[in-house]
mmCIF file of all heavy atoms in Angstrom:
data_model
loop_
_atom_site.group_PDB
_atom_site.id
_atom_site.type_symbol
_atom_site.label_atom_id
_atom_site.label_comp_id
_atom_site.label_asym_id
_atom_site.label_seq_id
_atom_site.Cartn_x
_atom_site.Cartn_y
_atom_site.Cartn_z
ATOM 1 N N MET A 1 4.242 18.011 -26.837
ATOM 2 C CA MET A 1 4.902 18.047 -25.527
ATOM 3 C C MET A 1 4.963 16.659 -24.905
ATOM 4 O O MET A 1 5.974 16.298 -24.293
ATOM 5 C CB MET A 1 4.165 19.007 -24.590
ATOM 6 C CG MET A 1 4.460 20.470 -24.848
ATOM 7 S SD MET A 1 6.240 20.872 -24.788
ATOM 8 C CE MET A 1 6.683 20.339 -23.129
ATOM 9 N N LYS A 2 3.901 15.870 -25.057
ATOM 10 C CA LYS A 2 3.933 14.513 -24.509
ATOM 11 C C LYS A 2 5.031 13.691 -25.165
ATOM 12 O O LYS A 2 5.758 12.946 -24.501
ATOM 13 C CB LYS A 2 2.576 13.832 -24.694
ATOM 14 C CG LYS A 2 2.509 12.452 -24.049
ATOM 15 C CD LYS A 2 1.125 11.840 -24.130
ATOM 16 C CE LYS A 2 1.096 10.484 -23.438
ATOM 17 N NZ LYS A 2 -0.248 9.848 -23.488
ATOM 18 N N SER A 3 5.162 13.848 -26.481
ATOM 19 C CA SER A 3 6.214 13.128 -27.203
ATOM 20 C C SER A 3 7.597 13.602 -26.757
ATOM 21 O O SER A 3 8.503 12.783 -26.536
ATOM 22 C CB SER A 3 6.038 13.340 -28.706
ATOM 23 O OG SER A 3 7.081 12.716 -29.417
ATOM 24 N N LEU A 4 7.776 14.913 -26.603
ATOM 25 C CA LEU A 4 9.071 15.446 -26.201
ATOM 26 C C LEU A 4 9.432 15.022 -24.785
ATOM 27 O O LEU A 4 10.609 14.784 -24.484
ATOM 28 C CB LEU A 4 9.061 16.971 -26.308
ATOM 29 C CG LEU A 4 9.068 17.545 -27.722
ATOM 30 C CD1 LEU A 4 8.888 19.052 -27.687
ATOM 31 C CD2 LEU A 4 10.356 17.185 -28.454
ATOM 32 N N ARG A 5 8.449 14.924 -23.908
ATOM 33 C CA ARG A 5 8.740 14.523 -22.527
ATOM 34 C C ARG A 5 9.209 13.083 -22.449
ATOM 35 O O ARG A 5 9.902 12.711 -21.508
ATOM 36 C CB ARG A 5 7.506 14.750 -21.648
ATOM 37 C CG ARG A 5 7.280 16.225 -21.341
ATOM 38 C CD ARG A 5 6.287 16.442 -20.215
ATOM 39 N NE ARG A 5 6.218 17.853 -19.859
ATOM 40 C CZ ARG A 5 5.180 18.638 -20.097
ATOM 41 N NH1 ARG A 5 4.098 18.143 -20.677
ATOM 42 N NH2 ARG A 5 5.205 19.910 -19.738
ATOM 43 N N ARG A 6 8.824 12.259 -23.414
ATOM 44 C CA ARG A 6 9.376 10.911 -23.463
ATOM 45 C C ARG A 6 10.836 10.937 -23.847
ATOM 46 O O ARG A 6 11.600 10.038 -23.494
ATOM 47 C CB ARG A 6 8.590 10.069 -24.476
ATOM 48 C CG ARG A 6 7.245 9.696 -23.936
ATOM 49 C CD ARG A 6 6.368 8.843 -24.791
ATOM 50 N NE ARG A 6 6.858 8.318 -26.031
ATOM 51 C CZ ARG A 6 6.047 7.973 -27.028
ATOM 52 N NH1 ARG A 6 4.747 8.161 -26.933
ATOM 53 N NH2 ARG A 6 6.535 7.453 -28.134
ATOM 54 N N GLU A 7 11.252 11.952 -24.584
ATOM 55 C CA GLU A 7 12.646 12.078 -25.032
ATOM 56 C C GLU A 7 13.552 12.660 -23.959
ATOM 57 O O GLU A 7 14.770 12.519 -24.028
ATOM 58 C CB GLU A 7 12.717 12.972 -26.272
ATOM 59 C CG GLU A 7 11.867 12.523 -27.446
ATOM 60 C CD GLU A 7 12.471 11.348 -28.172
ATOM 61 O OE1 GLU A 7 13.682 11.152 -28.045
ATOM 62 O OE2 GLU A 7 11.722 10.630 -28.848
ATOM 63 N N MET A 8 12.966 13.359 -22.968
ATOM 64 C CA MET A 8 13.744 14.035 -21.924
ATOM 65 C C MET A 8 13.297 13.525 -20.561
ATOM 66 O O MET A 8 12.119 13.596 -20.240
ATOM 67 C CB MET A 8 13.514 15.550 -21.966
ATOM 68 C CG MET A 8 13.802 16.217 -23.267
ATOM 69 S SD MET A 8 13.539 18.017 -23.136
ATOM 70 C CE MET A 8 11.748 18.104 -22.949
ATOM 71 N N GLN A 9 14.226 13.034 -19.772
ATOM 72 C CA GLN A 9 13.883 12.544 -18.445
ATOM 73 C C GLN A 9 14.829 13.139 -17.403
ATOM 74 O O GLN A 9 16.038 13.250 -17.639
ATOM 75 C CB GLN A 9 13.963 11.022 -18.400
ATOM 76 C CG GLN A 9 12.863 10.326 -19.200
ATOM 77 C CD GLN A 9 11.497 10.540 -18.613
ATOM 78 O OE1 GLN A 9 11.259 10.269 -17.433
ATOM 79 N NE2 GLN A 9 10.566 11.043 -19.422
ATOM 80 N N PRO A 10 14.291 13.543 -16.244
ATOM 81 C CA PRO A 10 15.134 14.114 -15.202
ATOM 82 C C PRO A 10 15.592 13.097 -14.163
ATOM 83 O O PRO A 10 14.925 12.080 -13.930
ATOM 84 C CB PRO A 10 14.184 15.130 -14.542
ATOM 85 C CG PRO A 10 12.834 14.474 -14.647
ATOM 86 C CD PRO A 10 12.856 13.676 -15.946
ATOM 87 N N VAL A 11 16.742 13.366 -13.569
ATOM 88 C CA VAL A 11 17.190 12.674 -12.360
ATOM 89 C C VAL A 11 17.532 13.787 -11.372
ATOM 90 O O VAL A 11 18.460 14.562 -11.611
ATOM 91 C CB VAL A 11 18.409 11.767 -12.614
ATOM 92 C CG1 VAL A 11 18.897 11.157 -11.294
ATOM 93 C CG2 VAL A 11 18.070 10.671 -13.616
ATOM 94 N N PHE A 12 16.775 13.859 -10.272
ATOM 95 C CA PHE A 12 16.897 14.997 -9.365
ATOM 96 C C PHE A 12 17.868 14.719 -8.218
ATOM 97 O O PHE A 12 18.356 13.615 -8.026
ATOM 98 C CB PHE A 12 15.523 15.375 -8.814
ATOM 99 C CG PHE A 12 14.587 15.926 -9.860
ATOM 100 C CD1 PHE A 12 13.420 15.250 -10.177
ATOM 101 C CD2 PHE A 12 14.886 17.101 -10.527
ATOM 102 C CE1 PHE A 12 12.561 15.751 -11.144
ATOM 103 C CE2 PHE A 12 14.030 17.618 -11.487
ATOM 104 C CZ PHE A 12 12.855 16.942 -11.790
ATOM 105 N N GLN A 13 18.093 15.761 -7.432
ATOM 106 C CA GLN A 13 19.111 15.750 -6.386
ATOM 107 C C GLN A 13 18.800 14.775 -5.259
ATOM 108 O O GLN A 13 19.662 14.007 -4.850
ATOM 109 C CB GLN A 13 19.252 17.170 -5.813
ATOM 110 C CG GLN A 13 20.201 17.270 -4.638
ATOM 111 C CD GLN A 13 20.330 18.696 -4.140
ATOM 112 O OE1 GLN A 13 19.715 19.616 -4.670
ATOM 113 N NE2 GLN A 13 21.130 18.905 -3.122
ATOM 114 N N ASP A 14 17.589 14.812 -4.752
ATOM 115 C CA ASP A 14 17.240 14.026 -3.571
ATOM 116 C C ASP A 14 16.655 12.686 -4.003
ATOM 117 O O ASP A 14 15.508 12.626 -4.474
ATOM 118 C CB ASP A 14 16.220 14.792 -2.716
ATOM 119 C CG ASP A 14 15.949 14.103 -1.380
ATOM 120 O OD1 ASP A 14 16.197 12.885 -1.285
ATOM 121 O OD2 ASP A 14 15.486 14.783 -0.447
ATOM 122 N N PRO A 15 17.397 11.602 -3.864
ATOM 123 C CA PRO A 15 16.918 10.313 -4.375
ATOM 124 C C PRO A 15 15.753 9.750 -3.585
ATOM 125 O O PRO A 15 15.069 8.844 -4.068
ATOM 126 C CB PRO A 15 18.150 9.407 -4.260
ATOM 127 C CG PRO A 15 18.964 10.008 -3.170
ATOM 128 C CD PRO A 15 18.732 11.489 -3.255
ATOM 129 N N PHE A 16 15.499 10.260 -2.376
ATOM 130 C CA PHE A 16 14.365 9.768 -1.596
ATOM 131 C C PHE A 16 13.097 10.546 -1.915
ATOM 132 O O PHE A 16 12.034 9.970 -2.137
ATOM 133 C CB PHE A 16 14.655 9.836 -0.099
ATOM 134 C CG PHE A 16 13.622 9.131 0.741
ATOM 135 C CD1 PHE A 16 13.512 7.748 0.699
ATOM 136 C CD2 PHE A 16 12.760 9.839 1.556
ATOM 137 C CE1 PHE A 16 12.551 7.090 1.457
ATOM 138 C CE2 PHE A 16 11.797 9.195 2.314
ATOM 139 C CZ PHE A 16 11.698 7.806 2.273
ATOM 140 N N ALA A 17 13.203 11.874 -1.983
ATOM 141 C CA ALA A 17 12.029 12.692 -2.278
ATOM 142 C C ALA A 17 11.470 12.414 -3.666
ATOM 143 O O ALA A 17 10.280 12.608 -3.921
ATOM 144 C CB ALA A 17 12.378 14.178 -2.140
ATOM 145 N N ALA A 18 12.327 11.950 -4.584
ATOM 146 C CA ALA A 18 11.891 11.701 -5.958
ATOM 147 C C ALA A 18 11.114 10.395 -6.104
ATOM 148 O O ALA A 18 10.532 10.143 -7.160
ATOM 149 C CB ALA A 18 13.103 11.686 -6.887
ATOM 150 N N LEU A 19 11.102 9.559 -5.055
ATOM 151 C CA LEU A 19 10.424 8.269 -5.124
ATOM 152 C C LEU A 19 9.203 8.267 -4.207
ATOM 153 O O LEU A 19 9.299 8.704 -3.051
ATOM 154 C CB LEU A 19 11.377 7.144 -4.711
ATOM 155 C CG LEU A 19 12.645 6.986 -5.552
ATOM 156 C CD1 LEU A 19 13.560 5.933 -4.932
ATOM 157 C CD2 LEU A 19 12.307 6.616 -6.991
ATOM 158 N N ASN A 20 8.086 7.773 -4.699
ATOM 159 C CA ASN A 20 6.872 7.666 -3.887
ATOM 160 C C ASN A 20 7.079 6.596 -2.823
ATOM 161 O O ASN A 20 7.253 5.417 -3.155
ATOM 162 C CB ASN A 20 5.680 7.306 -4.773
ATOM 163 C CG ASN A 20 4.358 7.352 -4.026
ATOM 164 O OD1 ASN A 20 4.283 7.110 -2.833
ATOM 165 N ND2 ASN A 20 3.290 7.656 -4.748
ATOM 166 N N PRO A 21 7.056 6.969 -1.532
ATOM 167 C CA PRO A 21 7.375 5.984 -0.484
ATOM 168 C C PRO A 21 6.339 4.874 -0.363
ATOM 169 O O PRO A 21 6.621 3.832 0.216
ATOM 170 C CB PRO A 21 7.420 6.844 0.792
ATOM 171 C CG PRO A 21 6.562 8.033 0.486
ATOM 172 C CD PRO A 21 6.769 8.311 -0.976
ATOM 173 N N ARG A 22 5.141 5.089 -0.920
ATOM 174 C CA ARG A 22 4.081 4.077 -0.824
ATOM 175 C C ARG A 22 4.144 3.053 -1.952
ATOM 176 O O ARG A 22 3.441 2.056 -1.910
ATOM 177 C CB ARG A 22 2.708 4.760 -0.823
ATOM 178 C CG ARG A 22 2.468 5.659 0.380
ATOM 179 C CD ARG A 22 1.057 6.244 0.335
ATOM 180 N NE ARG A 22 0.794 7.076 1.494
ATOM 181 C CZ ARG A 22 1.071 8.368 1.555
ATOM 182 N NH1 ARG A 22 1.621 8.964 0.508
ATOM 183 N NH2 ARG A 22 0.811 9.063 2.639
ATOM 184 N N MET A 23 4.953 3.338 -2.965
ATOM 185 C CA MET A 23 5.019 2.446 -4.123
ATOM 186 C C MET A 23 6.194 1.489 -4.015
ATOM 187 O O MET A 23 7.258 1.861 -3.510
ATOM 188 C CB MET A 23 5.141 3.269 -5.413
ATOM 189 C CG MET A 23 3.905 4.095 -5.738
ATOM 190 S SD MET A 23 4.149 5.167 -7.185
ATOM 191 C CE MET A 23 4.233 3.932 -8.503
ATOM 192 N N LYS A 24 5.994 0.285 -4.498
ATOM 193 C CA LYS A 24 7.104 -0.657 -4.611
ATOM 194 C C LYS A 24 7.949 -0.285 -5.834
ATOM 195 O O LYS A 24 7.487 0.382 -6.754
ATOM 196 C CB LYS A 24 6.586 -2.084 -4.745
ATOM 197 C CG LYS A 24 5.921 -2.609 -3.477
ATOM 198 C CD LYS A 24 5.477 -4.056 -3.643
ATOM 199 C CE LYS A 24 4.855 -4.583 -2.355
ATOM 200 N NZ LYS A 24 4.398 -5.994 -2.511
ATOM 201 N N VAL A 25 9.181 -0.756 -5.838
ATOM 202 C CA VAL A 25 10.103 -0.418 -6.920
ATOM 203 C C VAL A 25 9.546 -0.868 -8.267
ATOM 204 O O VAL A 25 9.679 -0.160 -9.274
ATOM 205 C CB VAL A 25 11.484 -1.044 -6.651
ATOM 206 C CG1 VAL A 25 12.386 -0.922 -7.875
ATOM 207 C CG2 VAL A 25 12.133 -0.357 -5.449
ATOM 208 N N LEU A 26 8.892 -2.025 -8.315
ATOM 209 C CA LEU A 26 8.295 -2.495 -9.567
ATOM 210 C C LEU A 26 7.326 -1.452 -10.133
ATOM 211 O O LEU A 26 7.353 -1.144 -11.329
ATOM 212 C CB LEU A 26 7.569 -3.819 -9.345
ATOM 213 C CG LEU A 26 6.786 -4.355 -10.552
ATOM 214 C CD1 LEU A 26 7.711 -4.644 -11.722
ATOM 215 C CD2 LEU A 26 6.012 -5.616 -10.149
ATOM 216 N N ASP A 27 6.482 -0.899 -9.270
ATOM 217 C CA ASP A 27 5.491 0.089 -9.723
ATOM 218 C C ASP A 27 6.157 1.405 -10.099
ATOM 219 O O ASP A 27 5.722 2.089 -11.028
ATOM 220 C CB ASP A 27 4.449 0.316 -8.634
ATOM 221 C CG ASP A 27 3.700 -0.962 -8.285
ATOM 222 O OD1 ASP A 27 3.337 -1.694 -9.227
ATOM 223 O OD2 ASP A 27 3.501 -1.235 -7.086
ATOM 224 N N ILE A 28 7.210 1.772 -9.378
ATOM 225 C CA ILE A 28 7.930 3.010 -9.678
ATOM 226 C C ILE A 28 8.561 2.953 -11.065
ATOM 227 O O ILE A 28 8.453 3.896 -11.859
ATOM 228 C CB ILE A 28 9.011 3.266 -8.605
ATOM 229 C CG1 ILE A 28 8.357 3.677 -7.275
ATOM 230 C CG2 ILE A 28 10.002 4.348 -9.059
ATOM 231 C CD1 ILE A 28 9.322 3.704 -6.106
ATOM 232 N N ILE A 29 9.207 1.856 -11.364
ATOM 233 C CA ILE A 29 9.920 1.746 -12.635
ATOM 234 C C ILE A 29 8.962 1.582 -13.819
ATOM 235 O O ILE A 29 9.216 2.095 -14.913
ATOM 236 C CB ILE A 29 10.925 0.581 -12.580
ATOM 237 C CG1 ILE A 29 12.054 0.919 -11.596
ATOM 238 C CG2 ILE A 29 11.521 0.295 -13.964
ATOM 239 C CD1 ILE A 29 13.069 -0.169 -11.419
ATOM 240 N N THR A 30 7.834 0.891 -13.609
ATOM 241 C CA THR A 30 6.899 0.660 -14.714
ATOM 242 C C THR A 30 5.902 1.800 -14.888
ATOM 243 O O THR A 30 5.190 1.831 -15.896
ATOM 244 C CB THR A 30 6.132 -0.664 -14.511
ATOM 245 O OG1 THR A 30 5.415 -0.617 -13.272
ATOM 246 C CG2 THR A 30 7.087 -1.849 -14.506
ATOM 247 N N GLU A 31 5.842 2.738 -13.943
ATOM 248 C CA GLU A 31 4.895 3.854 -14.049
ATOM 249 C C GLU A 31 5.039 4.654 -15.346
ATOM 250 O O GLU A 31 4.025 5.008 -15.974
ATOM 251 C CB GLU A 31 5.048 4.777 -12.836
ATOM 252 C CG GLU A 31 4.020 5.896 -12.790
ATOM 253 C CD GLU A 31 4.192 6.775 -11.572
ATOM 254 O OE1 GLU A 31 5.351 6.973 -11.132
ATOM 255 O OE2 GLU A 31 3.178 7.283 -11.061
ATOM 256 N N PRO A 32 6.265 4.974 -15.819
ATOM 257 C CA PRO A 32 6.357 5.713 -17.089
ATOM 258 C C PRO A 32 5.705 4.993 -18.262
ATOM 259 O O PRO A 32 5.127 5.629 -19.146
ATOM 260 C CB PRO A 32 7.873 5.849 -17.298
ATOM 261 C CG PRO A 32 8.458 5.766 -15.937
ATOM 262 C CD PRO A 32 7.594 4.782 -15.210
ATOM 263 N N TRP A 33 5.771 3.656 -18.305
ATOM 264 C CA TRP A 33 5.142 2.910 -19.393
ATOM 265 C C TRP A 33 3.626 3.044 -19.323
ATOM 266 O O TRP A 33 2.956 3.149 -20.353
ATOM 267 C CB TRP A 33 5.554 1.442 -19.333
ATOM 268 C CG TRP A 33 7.010 1.234 -19.607
ATOM 269 C CD1 TRP A 33 7.773 1.892 -20.516
ATOM 270 C CD2 TRP A 33 7.880 0.310 -18.950
ATOM 271 N NE1 TRP A 33 9.072 1.434 -20.466
ATOM 272 C CE2 TRP A 33 9.160 0.469 -19.526
ATOM 273 C CE3 TRP A 33 7.707 -0.629 -17.942
ATOM 274 C CZ2 TRP A 33 10.259 -0.284 -19.124
ATOM 275 C CZ3 TRP A 33 8.800 -1.388 -17.536
ATOM 276 C CH2 TRP A 33 10.061 -1.220 -18.123
ATOM 277 N N ALA A 34 3.076 3.035 -18.107
ATOM 278 C CA ALA A 34 1.631 3.187 -17.961
ATOM 279 C C ALA A 34 1.186 4.591 -18.372
ATOM 280 O O ALA A 34 0.192 4.760 -19.077
ATOM 281 C CB ALA A 34 1.225 2.905 -16.517
ATOM 282 N N ILE A 35 1.942 5.623 -17.975
ATOM 283 C CA ILE A 35 1.575 7.009 -18.284
ATOM 284 C C ILE A 35 1.613 7.264 -19.778
ATOM 285 O O ILE A 35 0.738 7.935 -20.336
ATOM 286 C CB ILE A 35 2.514 7.981 -17.542
ATOM 287 C CG1 ILE A 35 2.248 7.908 -16.038
ATOM 288 C CG2 ILE A 35 2.344 9.415 -18.052
ATOM 289 C CD1 ILE A 35 3.259 8.677 -15.201
ATOM 290 N N HIS A 36 2.617 6.725 -20.436
ATOM 291 C CA HIS A 36 2.815 7.028 -21.856
ATOM 292 C C HIS A 36 2.245 5.960 -22.788
ATOM 293 O O HIS A 36 2.500 5.983 -23.989
ATOM 294 C CB HIS A 36 4.302 7.236 -22.147
ATOM 295 C CG HIS A 36 4.833 8.509 -21.572
ATOM 296 N ND1 HIS A 36 4.770 9.712 -22.236
ATOM 297 C CD2 HIS A 36 5.410 8.770 -20.363
ATOM 298 C CE1 HIS A 36 5.292 10.662 -21.484
ATOM 299 N NE2 HIS A 36 5.688 10.122 -20.346
ATOM 300 N N GLY A 37 1.469 5.039 -22.218
ATOM 301 C CA GLY A 37 0.821 4.058 -23.062
ATOM 302 C C GLY A 37 1.748 3.049 -23.681
ATOM 303 O O GLY A 37 1.459 2.489 -24.732
#
C-alpha cells in the first residue's frame, strides 16, 4: 500500500483546506519526500 500510494496522488477541491496553513510552501512540497524516504 505504501508503494501504491506513491503511484497515486490526489488533488482535492478546496485548494486552501488541502494545505497546512502553518507550513511554508517549501515544507509542503518536500513533505512527500520525507514521508516516503
Side-chain angles (χ1 to χ4, degrees):
M1 282 304 302
K2 184 175 182 180
S3 177
L4 288 173
R5 286 194 174 110
R6 286 182 5 204
E7 303 284 338
M8 304 182 291
Q9 290 293 306
V11 176
F12 293 116
Q13 175 178 0
D14 187 338
F16 190 69
L19 300 174
N20 187 330
R22 296 183 178 88
M23 293 175 69
K24 291 183 178 179
V25 170
L26 174 62
D27 300 317
I28 288 170
I29 292 178
T30 59
E31 185 179 34
W33 294 322
I35 292 172
H36 289 273

